Amino acid sequence: HTSNWRGFCFKKNKISILNRKKISFLVLIIITISTTFSQKKISCKVVDASSGAPIVYATVMLKNINRGTHADLNGNFEIPIEQKNKGIIRISSIGYKTKEVKLSQLKTNSINVIYLSIANNQLNEIVIKSSKKKKRQLLGIQIVKQAIQNITENYPTEPHSYIGYYRDYQQPVGDSYQKNRQSKEEIKYLNVHEAIIESFDDGFDSDKLESKKNQSLLYNYRTNNQFIQDPSLTVPYDNEKRKYSESVYITPLGGNELNILNLTNTIRNHDKMSFSFSNVFEKDFVKNHKFKVKQVIFSDTTPIYEVSFSSIMETTNYDYAAFGTIYISKQDFAIHKLNYNLYYNNKKNPQYSVTIEYIPKKDKMYLNYITFNNFFEAYSGEYFKLIKTYYNPKQQSFEMHFNRLVALNSIHKRNFKIYYKNKRLKVLDIIPIEGSSRVFNVVIDEKSFDDIILKKENVNLIYSPYLKFDITNIKDLNGFEINKRPSLKINQYREFFVQETFEQKELPIQQNFIDKNAPLSKSLITPLELENNYWLNTPLKSSKN
């Protein structure tokens, strides 16, 4: 294990991008433990009042206690039913008018649809006289430069903490995983893990990842067994065959999934390496991208510049293209939100996406949520194979059991090779047992049977040192060939949604802090008073765009 790590980068014909030192991105096996707990909840969906489209990651706060949750990519969120008679929820999102709703008015037996209206967005003070395009582009650069310069003024340098909902999970791309498992139902989510975590931050002038004053406590953790747990997809990256991301180098060293998420917060780590091509945000972000002001939108009454950006190919890499949007306050140039998406060779889905949002509290900006989603390929442990074999002396045959239904038109005796002490036995026939397409009797001839001298072997019935079964070219009903481990395309998600912020909160003394170099599942749970007031918001998104 190593604690001296930052970000991740891309191969470029053995020459590091921007002549930088290769930065490794740490990923580890997530070993999980199962827990069970359930809560009755009020289910809601936040949508645009005009279009009916879901409002992604809308912030939902319980007004009386200033604690809350967030909508997912489909606009869904849940509130524990215990909160129903405790007041009002306040729903907000950049570009929309904030709305307050009484919890007592919401239904508990159906999804409550909540509509938000678009704020009075505008595009003013952007175009000045002639050369509109040039002036907009230059103004975009100026806005971003000023925002970066104001980071230490707009964000807290004093100790503070967040309690929030953490989750990581995987999502198959396409239907190959569904077919591989022979599932009749669509498989949307894999390896889902959820937690309630308090993250202590010593301030923006400290090292978030390596400082001993920046720690986290685990208050709740579970493996969500509503979804498939597939250990073959949580193995470390080997960057070649077992698990890899095309043209991205990811080290198979140990680490912590929460740290992986934290390092992608390029705003918080503005003076450290984060990810390509934000790199060191305060030095490289402007240099690596071009900008355009799209409009001025509002967050409540705060006017915010919506600035789109794209990577400069001559500066970064012609194989990659990055696109995104940054939202910056018109009043004090505080960065409210950053969305970053990087694509490889014009592919439809991004190699990774990062979304970070901060919200104002008094005179400083505090984290609201961060999401990091990356793409990888892996060879699944779920594949068509022979799982057990029994010897049947009465029929001079071997009873072979497969883990899947076999395509009978692929069954032929030439595909079944059996060796006894390296001598090949002659196969006469393959017969399905009682009409089964999963279990077969493989019959051998009498001479082969005599050569085995099974009477001597029957003394201890241990045949494995002497017998070898080589089954080839047969297929299951979905066309997968035996012993061929399919390459599966998977999206990996890590997300943290703040439920409550504590200003000027010092790090507690002598606590069981999360080990930054070990999986969350290995961390000790710290008892928390009022635990039910922080909840898991299980509804999940369906894509990362």
Side-chain angles (χ1 to χ4, degrees):
H1 292 178
T2 177
S3 59
N4 190 22
W5 52 271
R6 301 279 184 186
F8 53 97
C9 62
F10 298 90
K11 299 175 182 176
K12 186 183 179 184
N13 299 326
K14 299 183 180 180
I15 301 176
S16 61
I17 296 172
L18 302 177
N19 294 320
R20 291 190 172 280
K21 182 181 179 181
K22 184 181 289 184
I23 307 296
S24 294
F25 170 40
L26 302 180
V27 179
L28 74 153
I29 299 176
I30 301 173
I31 304 173
T32 62
I33 56 175
S34 293
T35 60
T36 59
F37 44 91
S38 61
Q39 291 179 321
K40 292 183 179 180
K41 297 178 181 179
I42 303 169
S43 299
C44 301
K45 185 180 183 72
V46 189
V47 301
D48 184 300
S50 299
S51 67
I55 298 178
V56 179
Y57 300 145
T59 301
V60 182
M61 298 299 293
L62 290 160
K63 188 177 179 181
N64 59 329
I65 59 175
N66 203 28
R67 183 180 302 155
T69 188
H70 297 78
D72 63 12
L73 193 70
N74 299 310
N76 298 316
F77 71 89
E78 294 178 324
I79 298 288
I81 200 166
E82 290 84 359
Q83 305 291 340
K84 184 173 176 62
N85 297 318
K86 293 186 178 180
I88 296 170
I89 52 173
R90 191 170 186 267
I91 306 166
S92 61
S93 183
I94 293 176
Y96 290 89
K97 295 178 181 178
T98 298
K99 187 171 186 176
E100 294 186 352
V101 178
K102 290 184 179 179
L103 284 168
S104 59
Q105 296 176 346
L106 298 178
K107 301 174 183 178
T108 56
N109 57 356
S110 60
I111 296 177
N112 300 272
V113 180
I114 300 172
Y115 299 91
L116 295 190
S117 300
I118 295 175
N120 184 26
N121 301 335
Q122 57 185 312
L123 181 57
N124 60 6
E125 300 181 21
I126 302 301
V127 181
I128 302 178
K129 295 182 181 179
S130 62
S131 188
K132 296 181 180 180
K133 184 175 181 180
K134 180 178 179 181
K135 194 63 180 179
R136 288 183 183 180
Q137 185 176 2
L138 289 174
L139 186 55
I141 292 175
Q142 292 173 354
I143 292 168
V144 175
K145 282 184 176 180
Q146 189 63 52
I148 293 173
Q149 184 177 327
N150 287 13
I151 284 179
T152 54
E153 296 178 16
N154 287 325
Y155 300 84
T157 55
E158 298 295 324
H160 57 283
S161 78
Y162 311 104
I163 294 182
Y165 167 54
Y166 168 87
R167 68 183 174 211
D168 61 68
Y169 58 98
Q170 295 168 342
Q171 190 174 71
V173 177
D175 61 357
S176 61
Y177 189 84
Q178 178 184 345
K179 289 181 177 179
N180 185 51
R181 290 187 69 97
Q182 294 189 318
S183 172
K184 294 181 180 180
E185 296 181 356
E186 181 183 1
I187 298 174
K188 292 185 177 181
Y189 310 109
L190 305 165
N191 298 319
V192 179
H193 311 103
E194 302 174 285
I196 299 295
I197 293 171
E198 182 166 13
S199 177
F200 294 89
D201 194 323
D202 199 45
F204 266 55
D205 53 354
S206 68
D207 191 313
K208 176 63 177 174
L209 301 176
E210 297 184 1
S211 172
K212 293 183 179 179
K213 293 185 177 181
N214 291 320
Q215 304 287 351
S216 297
L217 288 173
L218 185 64
Y219 295 138
N220 206 343
Y221 182 87
R222 75 163 174 177
T223 294
N224 193 326
N225 290 313
Q226 296 177 51
F227 306 101
I228 293 171
Q229 297 296 314
D230 187 343
S232 67
L233 299 178
T234 59
V235 298
Y237 288 81
D238 64 3
N239 301 305
E240 293 179 0
K241 295 180 179 179
R242 199 175 182 191
K243 186 175 182 180
Y244 60 95
S245 189
E246 188 174 7
S247 298
V248 180
Y249 178 74
I250 306 176
T251 73
L253 300 178
N256 176 280
E257 55 264 47
L258 185 61
N259 264 15
I260 291 171
L261 182 59
N262 284 332
L263 75 83
T264 62
N265 189 340
T266 192
I267 300 172
R268 172 61 181 84
N269 306 311
H270 58 96
D271 57 347
K272 306 292 190 304
M273 178 66 190
S274 54
F275 55 82
S276 304
F277 294 102
S278 177
N279 296 342
V280 179
F281 188 67
E282 66 181 22
K283 291 168 54 179
D284 302 316
F285 187 68
V286 170
K287 180 172 60 178
N288 291 345
H289 303 85
K290 53 187 178 182
F291 303 89
K292 179 180 179 180
V293 179
K294 295 178 65 177
Q295 61 180 338
V296 175
I297 62 177
F298 284 84
S299 177
D300 290 332
T301 59
T302 302
I304 295 177
Y305 292 114
E306 181 181 354
V307 182
S308 63
F309 62 83
S310 59
S311 57
I312 302 172
M313 298 299 135
E314 296 84 354
T315 306
T316 56
N317 190 312
Y318 286 96
D319 290 332
Y320 299 91
F323 303 94
T325 309
I326 185 168
Y327 299 83
I328 298 171
S329 169
K330 191 176 177 182
Q331 297 174 344
D332 58 8
F333 293 95
I335 302 171
H336 283 239
K337 184 177 179 180
L338 171 67
N339 174 250
Y340 198 102
N341 308 280
L342 187 132
Y343 296 80
Y344 174 63
N345 275 342
N346 298 316
K347 295 204 171 174
K348 183 178 180 180
N349 295 316
Q351 287 292 115
Y352 60 79
S353 297
V354 181
T355 303
I356 309 159
E357 183 172 298
Y358 279 80
I359 55 176
K361 188 174 183 181
K362 296 181 181 178
D363 60 342
K364 297 294 182 182
M365 301 292 293
Y366 291 88
L367 182 66
N368 191 23
Y369 66 83
I370 177 170
T371 73
F372 169 56
N373 316 323
N374 68 283
F375 170 83
F376 71 86
E377 294 187 54
Y379 286 89
S380 174
E382 290 289 334
Y383 60 96
F384 179 35
K385 55 191 171 185
L386 177 68
I387 53 175
K388 56 188 176 182
T389 302
Y390 300 104
Y391 174 64
N392 188 334
K394 292 182 179 180
Q395 298 184 22
Q396 293 183 200
S397 66
F398 291 93
E399 183 178 298
M400 295 188 177
H401 294 247
F402 297 90
N403 65 331
R404 298 180 180 175
L405 296 176
V406 180
L408 296 180
N409 60 2
S410 69
I411 293 293
H412 194 281
K413 61 184 181 181
R414 66 172 174 269
N415 297 333
F416 289 74
K417 299 180 180 67
I418 304 174
Y419 297 88
Y420 174 74
K421 295 183 178 179
N422 294 323
K423 181 179 180 181
R424 184 174 174 179
L425 308 180
K426 186 176 181 179
V427 176
L428 295 179
D429 201 2
I430 293 97
I431 305 170
I433 293 181
E434 296 181 355
S436 171
S437 295
R438 195 190 299 268
V439 184
F440 297 82
N441 265 332
V442 180
V443 183
I444 60 174
D445 73 341
E446 188 173 347
K447 185 176 184 307
S448 294
F449 177 79
D450 292 338
D451 288 342
I452 295 177
I453 317 177
L454 284 174
K455 289 182 180 180
K456 185 179 295 186
E457 305 298 351
N458 277 338
V459 174
N460 54 24
L461 298 177
I462 297 176
Y463 303 133
S464 57
Y466 309 102
L467 288 164
K468 176 184 175 183
F469 302 94
D470 184 11
I471 316 299
T472 59
N473 298 323
I474 70 170
K475 297 181 179 180
D476 67 14
L477 290 183
N478 284 322
F480 289 98
E481 189 173 337
I482 193 166
N483 296 327
K484 299 293 184 182
R485 300 182 60 154
S487 176
L488 302 173
K489 297 180 179 180
I490 305 291
N491 285 324
Q492 171 75 57
Y493 300 83
R494 294 179 180 86
E495 304 173 326
F496 182 72
F497 299 94
V498 175
Q499 293 189 348
E500 187 168 15
T501 300
F502 300 90
E503 303 168 82
Q504 299 181 340
K505 185 174 181 179
E506 298 282 349
L507 184 73
I509 300 173
Q510 296 180 341
Q511 293 288 328
N512 295 316
F513 297 117
I514 293 173
D515 185 345
K516 296 180 181 180
N517 293 313
L520 287 177
S521 61
K522 294 296 184 181
S523 297
L524 295 176
I525 303 291
T526 298
L528 175 66
E529 293 182 7
L530 304 176
E531 182 176 357
N532 289 333
N533 285 329
Y534 301 99
W535 61 93
L536 305 181
N537 194 30
T538 298
L540 298 171
K541 60 187 181 181
S542 57
S543 71
K544 66 173 180 280
N545 289 328

